[in-house]
Amino acid sequence: MVPRHFLTGDELEPQELAALLARAQELKAARSALLAGATGAAPTGALAGRSIALIFDRPSTRTRISFEVGVHELGGQAIVLREGETQLARGESVRDTALVLSRLVHAVGVRTGPHAALEELAAHASVPIVNLLTADHHPCQALADLLTLREHFGRTDGLRLAYVGDGNNVATSLMLLGARAGVEVAVATPEELAPGSEIVRAAREAASGGGSVAVTTDPAEAARGAHALYTDVWVSMGDEQGAERRRELLAPYRIDDSLLAHARDDAAVLHCLPAHPGEEIAEDVLYGERSAVWDQAENRLHAQKALLELLLVESAR
Ligand code: CP
Ligand code: NVA
């Protein structure tokens, strides 16, 4: 059987995405009942007897911990491999690594720079491959972002989400998955850092329900009437060389009270983290009452548990 990968989020039909978010909410409620000592809220054991390799070529706090905890809570085993810990570091091919891992584990998560390396691994693997972030996409993050919106507003369809800042991997995944979930995604970036036209086209093609994608250079225009304002770091992993230029270009794109004033009164503030308070987001906004950032970080766990169930359990039915 051809394994089901999760490389960009394109792999999910809109109704599957909606079902995944609903399942994530169920898993979140079950976990909190369990922690509160409720009977009948036993862990599902969906991954009992299964092992998942998690390969990290780049640092991570949220992704690594949420996956490790999530796999554990579903009854499986996670094997974390940091950069330099596999024979990839000594030149073993991606193909051979894919073939061997497919014999030993039941899924592989990868955080690396080049998206093409992930695609190569997926092309040779006979177990699901999950994107834990590449320079081009961060789809697991977008799942948690949509879950946070759904919790906050009771739906995703018809919401307006303004992403302000660098047109990077996080912006790309928000466009692709947000439009698919019926969200009106408005992206404001400096022209030099705008998302590529192919990605914008793909996101528009994937739109369902009230979903759409608009790109502008004006942060206030994007923020107008938004249910949520979202930003990410100005200097992503791998972009360190152009850091000064990025900071200059992005200075007008900070989320602060004056930008927030263009959004709805009940607008939530999102950030995938790690944050640089005072840079892409004002400190009082990050820690203020509109911030849903800490829910968003927690929601990585619940969304990814639902994803693992879908890829490993439901796909096998
Ligand atoms: N948001 C996110 O992916 O965080 P980490 O880099 O800590 O995993
Ligand atoms: N755009 C950021 C996201 C970090 C979670 C990066 O790629 O470094």
Side-chain angles (χ1 to χ4, degrees):
M1 203 176 83
V2 179
R4 190 145 186 222
H5 302 307
F6 187 68
L7 307 185
T8 62
D10 258 353
E11 301 87 355
L12 296 183
E13 295 299 329
Q15 62 276 20
E16 285 180 314
L17 176 56
L20 184 154
L21 298 175
R23 177 62 182 150
Q25 271 186 300
E26 272 176 26
L27 288 165
K28 183 170 185 173
R31 182 181 195 253
S32 103
L34 184 69
L35 294 177
T39 53
T44 66
L47 297 187
R50 305 202 208 196
S51 300
I52 319 269
L54 301 170
I55 301 176
F56 284 91
D57 279 357
R58 293 182 167 190
S60 169
T61 297
R62 282 143 288 272
T63 306
R64 176 187 165 175
I65 295 171
S66 57
F67 263 99
E68 245 190 288
V69 171
V71 170
H72 170 74
E73 289 186 2
L74 292 172
Q77 171 188 220
I79 301 162
V80 174
L81 298 154
R82 289 178 213 83
E83 188 171 22
E85 286 186 348
T86 70
Q87 294 285 9
L88 279 165
R90 294 181 59 252
E92 186 168 18
S93 70
V94 170
R95 180 179 187 166
D96 290 3
T97 305
L99 293 172
V100 171
L101 288 178
S102 296
R103 296 294 184 99
L104 295 173
V105 298
H106 302 88
V108 182
V110 182
R111 168 169 288 199
T112 191
H115 191 75
L118 188 76
E119 284 175 337
E120 191 186 348
L121 192 78
H124 296 292
S126 53
V127 296
I129 302 297
V130 177
N131 184 349
L132 307 182
L133 180 147
T134 62
D136 299 335
H137 295 271
H138 197 4
C140 287
Q141 179 65 51
L143 293 180
D145 304 339
L146 293 171
L147 176 58
T148 309
L149 289 176
R150 191 183 151 105
E151 263 179 356
H152 211 83
F153 295 102
R155 65 194 160 100
T156 54
D157 206 10
L159 298 181
R160 181 175 172 83
L161 169 67
Y163 174 91
V164 175
D166 183 17
N168 60 16
N169 46 4
V170 167
T172 295
S173 292
L174 270 181
M175 288 191 291
L176 284 173
L177 282 148
R180 196 163 288 237
V183 177
E184 209 182 296
V185 185
V187 174
T189 69
E191 215 161 299
E192 211 174 301
L193 301 174
S197 55
E198 264 176 46
I199 283 295
V200 174
R201 198 174 322 118
R204 285 183 178 144
E205 274 166 20
S208 85
S212 64
V213 174
V215 180
T216 174
T217 53
D218 181 358
E221 183 189 321
R224 200 157 301 130
H227 293 82
L229 292 194
Y230 193 127
T231 193
D232 182 16
V233 293
W234 286 349
V235 183
S236 284
M237 292 179 274
D239 287 340
E240 291 79 7
Q241 281 214 321
E244 270 324 296
R245 173 83 182 136
R246 283 169 177 279
R247 289 198 179 96
E248 259 171 55
L249 287 169
L250 286 161
Y253 292 80
R254 172 173 302 115
I255 295 189
D256 55 16
D257 283 330
S258 66
L259 190 63
L260 206 43
H262 295 280
R264 287 166 53 108
D265 289 343
D266 61 350
V269 172
L270 301 175
H271 190 313
C272 60
L273 303 174
H276 299 80
E279 204 166 279
E280 74 277 357
I281 189 164
E283 188 170 344
D284 56 338
V285 173
L286 177 64
Y287 300 106
E289 56 181 17
R290 314 280 279 279
S291 172
V293 165
W294 318 109
D295 290 337
Q296 189 186 356
E298 177 190 326
N299 283 339
R300 296 291 306 273
L301 171 65
H302 313 300
Q304 290 157 189
K305 283 167 77 176
L307 175 69
L308 289 171
E309 279 190 353
L310 176 69
L311 296 180
L312 281 135
V313 185
E314 289 185 32
S315 295
R317 275 201 188 122

